[in-house]
Amino acid sequence: MRSWMIAFSAGIVLAGFVPVLPAFYLSCLLLSGSLLLHAIPVLRLPAAFLCGVGWFLVWAYFTERALWVDAERADEVLVQGRVWSLPQAGSRGSRFEFMLDAVCSQSIPTQFVVETPKRKVLLSSYESMEVAPGEHWMLLVRLHRPHGFSNPGGFDYEAWQLQQKLVASGYVRTSELNRLLPAKLARPWFHRLRFYLLQLLSRHEAHWQHGALFRALTLGDKSGIRDEQWRLFTTLCINHLMVISGLHIGLVAALMFHCGSLLSRCSVHVLLGLTAPRMGAIMAAVGAVLYAGMAGFSLPALRAVIMVLVYLSGKLLLRQTLASNALCQALVLILLLDPLAPQSAG
């Protein structure tokens, strides 16, 4: 089973370096043919490899289809949607993710086309615009497809946008049409909670010596860390510890596991219903998911949560799991969720 998972993962990783996508029917034939070859015991490992390649190509096809239509020029459109992330303040304005509910290609707020399924874009605002997660806005924006520079060894901005499931990026145009729409029930609960806690911390962090670091470690918001602090952390090679990452999620999960185990041993009634390992695994899983939510479910945090949940599944089932098996299972789940994960440094 481990060999099959390694071969499947290798297929996804190597397919990520394909420069041009083949025709969709060829990708489907490759995926379906690999599943048929899996029935032959001698060909199971090559079939697993081809299955990984086929999975990546099919995923890439649908990902490319969801991108913004016009690749040559930026489109100015009127959109309706919800603020989907915590706004990141910068020197020239703010940046936030925006989930499109409806799009109108004309300059008048009529004849909106409902977006199905919903598509997420990255918007920048260069004017004083106060937005909060979950708010509904109508905005005049200029959008273009994800793109970036292909510098060897540099940050691949286009791959990052695709990993974040962003179909376009752009900026908000100055217009009288921009306005806040009546409130509706919004989905980004974690981001709304993060925004509320961020406002709560901002009222008091001026009295703390390291308030910006506390905000980064609790809410994953590193906008308050000064440039000279980042240079110091980079020089000391600890900059990855200043925001919520896999290490922090693992520590929280371990702490919650021991707290749950201790709690079950303190009560006979709890111990009769749940064993100590199961109680600890449940609390560790809840703690890891909540803490990753405070980080906005960023990709590094999401990968760490998957690995934690795979490990805890053995505890919940009261089964001994080899570390190598758990690692391979986590690798397969991560690549199924994010086939472009090998393209990032994390």
Side-chain angles (χ1 to χ4, degrees):
M1 187 64 179
R2 279 177 296 182
S3 301
W4 188 94
M5 290 187 288
I6 293 173
F8 177 79
S9 302
I12 294 180
V13 172
L14 293 180
F17 297 96
V18 174
V20 180
L21 290 178
F24 180 62
Y25 74 91
L26 293 177
S27 302
C28 293
L29 285 176
L30 179 63
L31 183 59
S32 57
S34 63
L35 294 176
L36 293 176
L37 289 176
H38 189 267
I40 305 175
V42 182
L43 299 178
R44 280 182 179 174
L45 287 183
F49 177 82
L50 295 177
C51 184
V53 174
W55 170 261
F56 180 91
L57 295 178
V58 171
W59 173 87
Y61 171 80
F62 285 105
T63 301
E64 188 179 37
R65 281 195 62 188
L67 297 179
W68 203 250
V69 176
D70 199 336
E72 301 298 331
R73 62 181 180 84
D75 295 331
E76 188 172 292
V77 293
L78 193 64
V79 299
Q80 290 182 4
R82 291 163 284 176
V83 180
W84 204 254
S85 69
L86 196 68
Q88 299 292 326
S91 58
R92 299 181 56 191
S94 60
R95 189 174 71 168
F96 54 90
E97 294 178 1
F98 193 75
M99 183 67 72
L100 299 179
D101 291 335
V103 176
C104 179
S105 59
Q106 302 176 0
S107 59
I108 54 176
T110 59
Q111 300 178 358
F112 277 92
V113 178
V114 177
E115 285 286 294
T116 305
K118 301 294 191 298
R119 296 194 290 177
K120 188 170 62 173
V121 300
L122 182 65
L123 294 179
S124 298
S125 175
Y126 301 115
E127 58 183 14
S128 56
M129 181 179 174
E130 298 292 334
V131 297
E135 288 183 345
H136 287 243
W137 282 83
M138 182 167 68
L139 300 171
L140 183 65
V141 299
R142 187 178 290 274
L143 297 175
H144 53 75
R145 294 180 67 165
H147 69 280
F149 298 106
S150 300
N151 296 324
F155 178 68
D156 194 340
Y157 184 66
E158 184 176 350
W160 176 83
Q161 287 183 303
L162 293 177
Q163 285 179 313
Q164 301 293 327
K165 296 180 175 58
L166 297 169
V167 301
S169 60
Y171 61 93
V172 181
R173 299 276 292 171
T174 302
S175 173
E176 296 179 353
L177 298 173
N178 297 341
R179 66 174 185 269
L180 180 65
L181 299 177
K184 296 180 182 179
L185 188 63
R187 272 188 54 197
W189 304 108
F190 273 113
H191 290 300
R192 294 173 66 188
L193 178 60
R194 291 178 70 208
F195 185 74
Y196 170 76
L197 294 176
L198 180 62
Q199 289 182 316
L200 191 63
L201 289 176
S202 300
R203 301 192 193 106
H204 304 284
E205 71 175 16
H207 306 290
W208 303 342
Q209 184 178 1
H210 302 291
L213 295 179
F214 182 77
R215 191 203 316 173
L217 291 172
T218 53
L219 299 177
D221 179 24
K222 57 181 183 294
S223 59
I225 301 178
R226 302 188 302 273
D227 292 338
E228 56 269 20
Q229 288 179 311
W230 269 120
R231 284 193 293 269
L232 175 62
F233 297 149
T234 303
T235 304
L236 297 175
C237 298
I238 59 172
N239 53 332
H240 62 286
L241 300 178
M242 294 301 111
V243 292
I244 299 177
S245 62
L247 174 64
H248 302 86
I249 293 175
L251 291 174
V252 169
L255 178 63
M256 295 298 291
F257 181 85
H258 290 293
C259 290
S261 299
L262 182 62
L263 179 65
S264 65
R265 292 187 177 96
C266 292
S267 174
V268 177
H269 300 287
V270 175
L271 190 58
L272 291 176
L274 287 173
T275 61
R278 279 184 172 175
M279 186 65 180
I282 292 174
M283 291 194 64
V286 172
V289 172
L290 290 178
Y291 195 51
M294 289 298 99
F297 287 113
S298 61
L299 287 175
L302 201 56
R303 290 194 288 260
V305 168
I306 290 175
M307 287 187 281
V308 167
L309 294 180
V310 168
Y311 173 77
L312 293 176
S313 63
K315 300 291 183 181
L316 287 172
L317 298 175
L318 298 179
R319 296 180 59 182
Q320 291 290 337
T321 304
L322 293 176
S324 57
N325 284 340
L327 187 61
C328 289
Q329 291 169 8
L331 176 63
V332 169
L333 289 176
I334 290 171
L335 291 177
L336 284 173
L337 177 68
D338 178 25
L340 284 178
Q343 308 294 328
S344 63

